[in-house]
Structure formats: C-alpha cells, structure tokens
Amino acid sequence: MQFTRADFPDDFIFGAATAAYQIEGHSFGGAGSTHWDTFAATPGNVFGAHDGAVACDHYHRFEADLDLLQSAGMDAYRFSTSWARVLPEGRGQVNEEGLDFYDRLVDAILARGLKPFQTLYHWEMPSALADLGGWTNRDVAQWFGDFTDIIMARIGDRIESVATLNEPWCVSFLSHFLGHHAPGKRDIRATARAMHHVNLAHGEAMARLRARGQKNCGIVLNFEHSQPGNDTPEAQAAAELQDAIYNQWFIGAIAKGSYPQRVLDGFGQHMPKDWQADMELISQPIDWLGVNYYTRNLIVPAPELPWPSINVTADPLPKTDMGWAIFPEGLRNILGRLSKDYVGDMPIYVTENGMAWNDTLTDEGVDDPARTDYINGHVLAVKEAIEAGANMKGFFYWSLLDNYEWAFGYDKRFGIVHVDYETQVRTPKASFHALAQALKTNR
Ligand code: IFM
C-alpha cells in the first residue's frame, strides 16, 4: 500500500463491513423467513439458487471473525442487525435469541477495542411484511420504526453509530424496477412508491432514534460515477438522468427535502398521494453520511426503450470480477461533490468500497494483488478528497469475509479473508496482510 495511518487525520478510522444475511447463517437462532429466502428459492433469480441459510456461519463464529478484524489493526466494525432475526414476522412476537445474539456481538466488538457501526436495514425484509407489499406499502415506515425501537432498546447503549438503511437505491430501484434483487419486481409504480417509502422509513427511524436520545445517527447511500458514453448531447442528457436517479434522489431528499425534477418528470404520476407532506420528516438533520462507492458507468441514450430510455455501454477500463470498471477518481469526485453540494462539513465515511476477484486458494494462501491495488487506489482517493476539503472520518472495506453476494450467490468473492464454504475455514488473503501492514504504522 502507498499509504499509512500517518497520511490521515488522527480521528480517521479504518474498518471492514459486513451484513447480517450475507454472513450470519439465517437458518440459525430462530430468524424468520425473508424475501431473499423466497427470491433465492425461485428458479433463475440467484446463481445456483444459493441462499443465506448457512452463509459464513458467523452466527456461531463471530468471536473468531472479530479476532481477525482486530488482528488487522482495524478500528471499527460495520455490521447490520437483521429485522427478521429480531422479529421473525416483521412485527409482533420478538425472537429473544435474536436480541441475545446482537447483544453478544456488540459486547464482543467492544471487548476487542473496536467501534460498533450498526446498520438497521441491509435488505432482509421479513416475508410476512413482503406479503403486505414490503417497500411499496406506506405502513413500512411504521413497521421499520417499531423494529428500530426494539433493537435499539437492547443494544443502543453500546454502539458507536447507527445507520438507518443501506443503499436505498438497491432497496428500491434495483429491486423494483430492474428486478435484480428481491422482491424481483419490474414495475414503475412499485418503484416510485418504494423510492419514496424507503426515504419515509429513514425519516421515521431517525425520529425514533432521536426520541431515544441515540447519538451518531446517519444513513448509508450508494453512489457511482455516471459519465456520458460518448460526446453527444443525447449521451450527456442520458448520463444526467442516470445521475439524478442514482446519485441525487436520496441525498437530495435527505439533505434538501426535494427530489430531482427530471426524475419526477419520468415517474411522478406513480408517486404515492401527498408525498410532498413527508419531505420534512425525511429531511430532518442527520449526523453523518455513509458513502458506498464501487465503480463508474458509461451511459448512452436508448430511445427505443420507455423511460428512462438509457443504457450502459462497454467501458474500456479494467474490471473487477463483477464486471465493474475500476475508477478511483470517481470516489474522489463524488466525495467532493457531496461535501460541496449537499452536506458541507458533516462527517462523511466511506462505508463500503471493495472488489470481487476470482481468488485462488493455494497452500501459500490467496495472492490477490488486484485487490490490494484497488484498496490502495481508493484510499488514496479519500486522502485527496480530504486535501480538497471533505470532512472524511473513515474508510470501511467491503468486505471482511467472502460472503453471499445476493443474486450472484457465493460465486463472487469480495473478502480480504477467504472463506471455504465446505469447511468454514477462514484464510486471510494477501490484501488483508497488506492492509494490516499499512495500519500498523503508527501516527
Ligand atoms: O455485497 C454488497 C453489499 O451488500 C451492499 N453493497 C455492495 C456490495 C457488493 O455488491
């Protein structure tokens, strides 16, 4: 790595991120069915019909996994608390075993001198609520608020920071318009509703957190570098529309209380009635912003398609195993833009950044120089953003462990720790050691 801790402010933290359904093993400990279980059980949705039933068996192995994190010299651990583990039916009867698990997890994080960064929703909608329309039902905001109260009453006294939701674009657009994630809908009306209700649920959860006196409350949004695929005015307009849908809709609602007009022009008639009245709740102050960044997309017009009439075109840049172009400049760019146009001096964390690679485990371990380069390039981009004035407070690698990569099942490996899914043996990769070495250098 070409950085050490000395390149960052004293209070800048390094960590790694995971999410409940992707690592815990959802069949353990009395968790209820989620829409990912049924989506995965439906042919054609998920590579190999893989699901999160066992995943990395983190439910039983979390102590050893946290030891790894600590041994890398990290400062913090970003994890999520599964709604369906705590409330198997999404509301009503609480699963005490689930609460006990998160209690033990938080204590174990603290015992290792790590800061617990919690995310309340990382995509496992309880099936019983999915039956009622999930994110398309306005009541989801109250259901989510109730879950927030229940889990925070148990662990809120010990966590460092809490995010309401992870990547609302994925929760709504990717899952209800593109159909790639559960619940696999492809419906513009469902999309408009989900894109508003996910913000409303954020607002309701924020209000509940504030009422409890919870500190350090924020949200994790995903951003990409949306760039015109050629130098025509039509490609420019297509990229601006993609940027509005992906990069502006959520932060605009939260930071400014408004939605981009060019998106409303496209699906405004499908928005829930009187959505404007919700914008005050949605735009209440947050304490920090989490930024997940992975790639850029080259956008071209697709006039033959209905709204938004855009497509992604081939990118000449080197790609990760997901086919995602590697473009650290995009991270520097979005961090600068967010701090200038939306959040000012508010603390910003890179809450996810990482790459999938087709790793090979040998007797010597896993040699993954491409991942080390990826981390290096993106951490240096964060350093440049700090130099340009962004109030950056931390960087979390995605992910600590190889894990369940949603529609790609266990086929894609993002971890700095290799997981053998047959034996559950963990092997830190060369990138893990490179990062640990960089973090060992004292300030
Ligand atoms: O694995 C996901 C994670 O759950 C959310 N952000 C992107 C990661 C890689 O696709």
Side-chain angles (χ1 to χ4, degrees), residues 91-319:
R91 49 193 179 155
Q93 186 68 45
V94 170
N95 174 31
E96 289 299 332
E97 263 186 276
L99 285 177
D100 290 348
F101 170 68
Y102 291 122
D103 216 18
R104 293 197 301 276
L105 179 68
V106 171
D107 283 346
I109 296 169
L110 291 170
R112 287 161 180 79
L114 299 163
K115 296 178 194 303
F117 275 61
Q118 179 195 2
T119 301
L120 284 161
Y121 184 78
H122 199 126
W123 305 358
E124 57 286 278
M125 172 66 69
S127 295
L129 301 183
D131 292 345
L132 302 175
W135 291 107
T136 66
N137 186 333
R138 182 181 175 83
D139 294 344
V140 72
Q142 293 304 318
W143 303 332
F144 185 55
D146 294 345
F147 162 59
T148 299
D149 274 331
I150 291 167
I151 182 69
M152 298 322 285
R154 188 62 178 267
I155 64 171
D157 57 331
R158 281 157 291 151
I159 58 148
E160 174 77 16
S161 116
V162 56
T164 53
L165 294 125
N166 183 69
E167 299 184 354
W169 179 85
C170 294
V171 173
S172 53
F173 201 86
L174 185 68
S175 311
H176 294 77
F177 196 77
L178 301 177
H180 296 172
H181 277 190
K185 276 189 179 288
R186 302 191 66 215
D187 182 291
I188 195 167
R189 179 176 160 96
T191 304
R193 277 146 205 275
M195 282 180 78
H196 181 64
H197 293 150
V198 71
N199 284 335
L200 183 62
H202 158 77
E204 180 63 29
M206 280 299 297
R208 305 284 188 112
L209 292 168
R210 295 296 186 212
R212 310 186 60 78
Q214 196 69 44
K215 300 280 187 301
N216 278 338
C217 308
I219 185 168
V220 171
L221 306 179
N222 49 329
F223 297 91
E224 67 165 33
H225 185 86
S226 310
Q227 190 174 317
N230 58 51
D231 56 11
T232 63
E234 291 79 14
Q236 177 68 34
E240 284 171 11
L241 179 54
Q242 166 69 4
D243 184 73
I245 297 169
Y246 199 109
N247 293 325
Q248 296 174 27
W249 179 269
F250 303 99
I251 188 62
I254 291 161
K256 298 182 175 171
S258 64
Y259 288 133
Q261 190 54 47
R262 66 179 88 222
V263 184
L264 290 175
D265 289 345
F267 69 32
Q269 77 266 34
H270 303 298
M271 288 286 280
K273 197 163 169 289
D274 295 334
W275 59 266
Q276 294 87 344
D278 298 327
M279 298 313 277
E280 196 179 330
L281 182 69
I282 292 170
S283 61
Q284 68 192 279
I286 56 175
D287 301 321
W288 58 273
L289 176 67
V291 172
N292 292 359
Y293 172 87
Y294 288 88
T295 192
R296 82 168 177 187
N297 273 311
L298 299 183
I299 311 296
V300 287
E304 72 283 6
L305 300 176
W307 186 91
S309 314
I310 58 179
N311 241 328
V312 175
T313 193
D315 194 317
L317 287 175
K319 317 255 178 348

Side-chain angles (χ1 to χ4, degrees), residues 22 122-123 166-167 292 294 324 352 398 405-406 414:
Q22 293 178 272
H122 199 126
W123 305 358
N166 183 69
E167 299 184 354
N292 292 359
Y294 288 88
W324 296 349
E352 281 183 31
W398 181 272
E405 180 50 28
W406 306 111
F414 276 88

Side-chain angles (χ1 to χ4, degrees), residues 223-227 243 247 291 293 295-296 327-342 348 350 377-378 380-386 388 390 392:
F223 297 91
E224 67 165 33
H225 185 86
S226 310
Q227 190 174 317
D243 184 73
N247 293 325
V291 172
Y293 172 87
T295 192
R296 82 168 177 187
F327 190 61
E329 296 91 313
L331 176 57
R332 186 193 56 209
N333 184 295
I334 196 72
L335 294 173
R337 184 174 162 203
L338 286 167
S339 85
K340 183 165 135 310
D341 296 346
Y342 291 98
I348 304 176
V350 172
H378 287 83
L380 291 179
V382 175
K383 181 171 174 271
E384 288 171 15
I386 295 173
M392 300 305 305

